[in-house]
Amino acid sequence: MKTIIVTGAGSGLGKELSLLFSQQGYHVLLTGRSVGKLSAVKEEIEKAGGVADYVVLNVQKDADILNRVNEIRMNHKVVGLVNNAGVGHFGPFFKITQQEIIEMLNTNVLGTILMTKAVLPLLQEQGEGLLINIISTAGLRGKVNEAVYAASKFAVRGFTESLQKEYENSPINIKAVYMGGMDTPFWEGSNHIEDASRFRSAKEVAKMIIEQIDQDEIIIESKKS
Ligand SMILES: NC(=O)c1ccc[n+]([C@@H]2O[C@H](COP(=O)([O-])OP(=O)(O)OC[C@H]3O[C@@H](n4cnc5c(N)ncnc54)[C@H](OP(=O)(O)O)[C@@H]3O)[C@@H](O)[C@H]2O)c1
């Protein structure tokens, strides 16, 4: 079976994309930091007739990435990677702490780049590959109280657009996905958004991504409230 690795697969968009990929016949390798969340998603996929496994992998830790991806390489035919894991801290720039800045840049930027660097050779070995980078409309334009989050997403945009050019004539398909707000656990504990329930659900966004997967750049704006 062909394997797709999804980061941050325990909740929100990562979970919904994992469910959809499993319904398309892929073996989904769910990754994230919380065993409880990952095992619940694995169970849900299996109940629906799909095949999934999970691997605990913190994208902020380069040793974790190298070790886990090496283990995955031994046991699976990896043809896809969805760089979805991400965190956001919002508010006036002067109030964002150094720790929050480091967490956003390490997870959103370095996590995406190092995962890609580790997994691309596996895709090349298989002679085919799908790389999906989950960005945000904060990677298309700056927003008030989102300075560092937007900086992290602009970085992933630059990374993705450059790789698209570098791999243009190769069997590796690289997609950049820019979406507006989604109603997910991402907003738990944040007062940046008044009412996340007016956003699209992660299920709806995941479906829209799969429907537009032939495009290199997928833009899904927020629903107008
Ligand atoms: N929600 C929105 O409005 C929105 C809008 C545009 C773009 N996005 C982007 O969409 C992506 C998915 O977010 P979501 O809305 O689905 O939020 P979510 O439910 O919070 O999902 C993010 C996932 O990332 C995982 N994660 C966080 N840090 C990690 C790390 N260091 N290593 C591995 N996994 C990590 C989390 O699981 P653990 O904590 O268990 O590891 C979580 O399952 C993110 O990149 C986010 O920036 C979200």
Side-chain angles (χ1 to χ4, degrees):
M1 251 180 136
K2 292 179 177 181
T3 297
I4 287 200
I5 301 173
V6 180
T7 69
S11 61
L13 183 65
K15 171 186 166 178
E16 298 301 336
L17 281 172
S18 298
L19 282 158
L20 290 184
F21 277 121
S22 73
Q23 285 159 21
Q24 293 191 344
Y26 289 98
H27 164 245
V28 186
L29 204 53
L30 312 159
T31 70
R33 293 173 300 180
S34 323
V35 173
K37 284 159 57 176
L38 296 172
S39 61
V41 177
K42 172 176 156 69
E43 208 172 295
E44 203 172 323
I45 287 175
E46 288 172 349
K47 267 193 193 146
V51 184
D53 285 295
Y54 65 82
V55 170
V56 175
L57 189 166
N58 183 341
V59 300
Q60 286 194 65
K61 297 188 176 167
D62 52 352
D64 234 25
I65 292 177
L66 286 178
N67 293 335
R68 298 292 87 76
V69 172
N70 256 334
E71 288 160 15
I72 292 167
R73 180 187 217 149
M74 314 269 203
N75 301 309
H76 302 287
K77 290 189 166 115
V78 180
V79 297
L81 168 65
V82 184
N83 281 309
N84 163 78
V87 292
H89 297 288
F90 304 98
F93 174 59
F94 75 93
K95 284 194 174 167
I96 301 290
T97 66
Q98 188 166 346
Q99 197 188 330
E100 289 170 336
I101 293 169
I102 290 168
E103 191 194 356
M104 281 188 277
L105 295 180
N106 279 351
T107 308
N108 303 356
V109 185
L110 261 186
T112 296
I113 293 174
L114 293 178
M115 275 302 294
T116 304
K117 189 157 175 56
V119 175
L120 261 178
L122 280 64
L123 307 185
Q124 281 167 318
E125 269 171 26
Q126 295 304 323
E128 64 174 304
L130 177 63
L131 170 66
I132 304 177
N133 285 345
I134 300 302
I135 311 178
S136 164
T137 50
L140 294 175
R141 48 187 184 266
K143 303 184 188 192
V144 175
N145 291 338
E146 300 197 13
V148 183
Y149 180 70
S152 75
K153 294 296 187 177
F154 266 70
V156 181
R157 176 186 179 183
F159 174 62
T160 311
E161 285 183 4
S162 301
L163 281 188
Q164 283 172 333
K165 294 182 196 302
E166 199 170 321
Y167 284 84
E168 203 172 9
N169 297 312
S170 86
I172 314 286
N173 291 308
I174 301 177
K175 315 288 175 183
V177 186
Y178 305 94
M179 70 283 289
M182 297 182 287
D183 185 10
T184 71
F186 186 82
W187 297 112
E188 278 171 10
S190 165
N191 56 11
H192 182 52
I193 293 299
E194 229 168 71
D195 178 15
S197 70
R198 71 186 168 85
F199 289 151
R200 294 182 201 279
S201 68
K203 193 187 273 301
E204 184 183 353
V205 173
K207 192 165 165 278
M208 291 170 84
I209 293 171
I210 299 293
E211 282 166 0
Q212 298 174 59
I213 202 69
D214 288 342
Q215 295 177 33
D216 289 344
E217 188 181 74
I218 299 170
I219 300 179
I220 302 168
E221 292 290 351
S222 287
K223 252 193 327 209
K224 300 275 176 282
S225 51

